Amino acid sequence: MTALLRYRSALLVRSQRWLPPFLLYAVFLGIGVQGGQPLLDSLAWTAAFLLPVAAWLVRICAGGEPPAARSVVAAAAGPARAHLACVLVATGAAAAFGTAATVVVTLVSDPVGSDHRTRVPVPAAAGAGLLAVLTCALLGAAVGALTAWPVLRSRGLGVPALLSAVLLALVGTGSPAQAAVSGLVDGSHSATVRPPVLPLAAAALVCAAATALACALTSRRAP
């Protein structure tokens, strides 16, 4: 599995296809995060807009090689393991983007609630923000896994499905991402930190189920 992860990582880095989602994320942060803003509000923004980036990265990794190359890798390592490596690399890249952004946002934001007076503990707030980032990365990976090959083989259907699923994951009632982000926003209003542990666990379960489904389908559908 280690060799597969290295291969997928090298393929993603050398293709430079990670640049558009990375730049999109940077633009989102530049628009929504300004120095001196309440810390928890800024961390909520940082987490929310990682979700579409994670979904996009999974889609990039799933379609990052020609069908012939994909078939060779699947024959050598097994189709399920090969596809699992795609999802793991994409999720890891999204988590890395989000972790770096969390550090920067924590440094430039003001550790106060939305009233700009009540202080919030920086380590606890940063930890809650990181958990929210991981929640959105995992749920975004699940969205990407369910809207890319082999679950959806048509690009014409895959892109609208991805956008619709991202929107639903961000605003839908019961979504782990919505719960994590709204928890940070509500915590900013009351100047209290509520780590989104349950949303993170739920997102991990959803991501595991979506990835398992996608991996199971790789052995049944031709590239």
Side-chain angles (χ1 to χ4, degrees):
M1 195 64 184
T2 301
L4 269 177
L5 293 174
R6 289 177 179 173
Y7 167 71
R8 295 296 187 189
S9 299
L11 193 65
L12 177 64
V13 171
R14 292 175 183 175
S15 71
Q16 298 184 354
R17 296 179 68 189
W18 58 271
L19 277 173
F22 172 77
L23 293 175
L24 178 66
Y25 191 44
V27 169
F28 281 150
L29 293 181
I31 293 173
V33 177
Q34 304 296 329
Q37 288 183 337
L39 176 56
L40 290 173
D41 288 334
S42 297
L43 290 172
W45 184 278
T46 303
F49 283 100
L50 185 65
L51 198 152
V53 172
W56 192 355
L57 284 169
V58 171
R59 187 171 180 83
I60 286 172
C61 288
E65 17 173 31
R70 184 186 298 152
S71 298
V72 171
V73 174
R81 285 165 57 86
H83 195 70
L84 175 61
C86 289
V87 178
L88 290 177
V89 167
T91 307
F97 290 167
T99 301
T102 299
V103 173
V104 173
V105 168
T106 301
L107 292 175
V108 303
S109 300
D110 195 4
V112 294
S114 56
D115 60 3
H116 292 273
R117 293 191 304 271
T118 310
R119 308 288 293 182
V120 296
V122 174
L130 183 59
L131 292 181
V133 158
L134 295 177
T135 299
C136 291
L138 288 169
L139 200 61
V143 169
L146 294 176
T147 57
W149 186 90
V151 179
L152 291 180
R153 290 179 286 182
S154 169
R155 292 185 179 180
L157 291 176
V159 174
L162 183 146
L163 295 175
S164 300
V166 163
L167 181 61
L168 182 62
L170 285 174
V171 303
T173 302
S175 165
Q178 192 272 343
V181 171
S182 63
L184 292 177
V185 174
D186 292 342
S188 182
H189 291 161
S190 60
T192 57
V193 178
R194 303 185 184 97
V197 176
L198 290 180
L200 176 60
L205 290 175
V206 172
C207 184
T211 303
L213 174 61
C215 291
L217 290 175
T218 55
S219 60
R220 300 181 183 182
R221 296 186 175 181

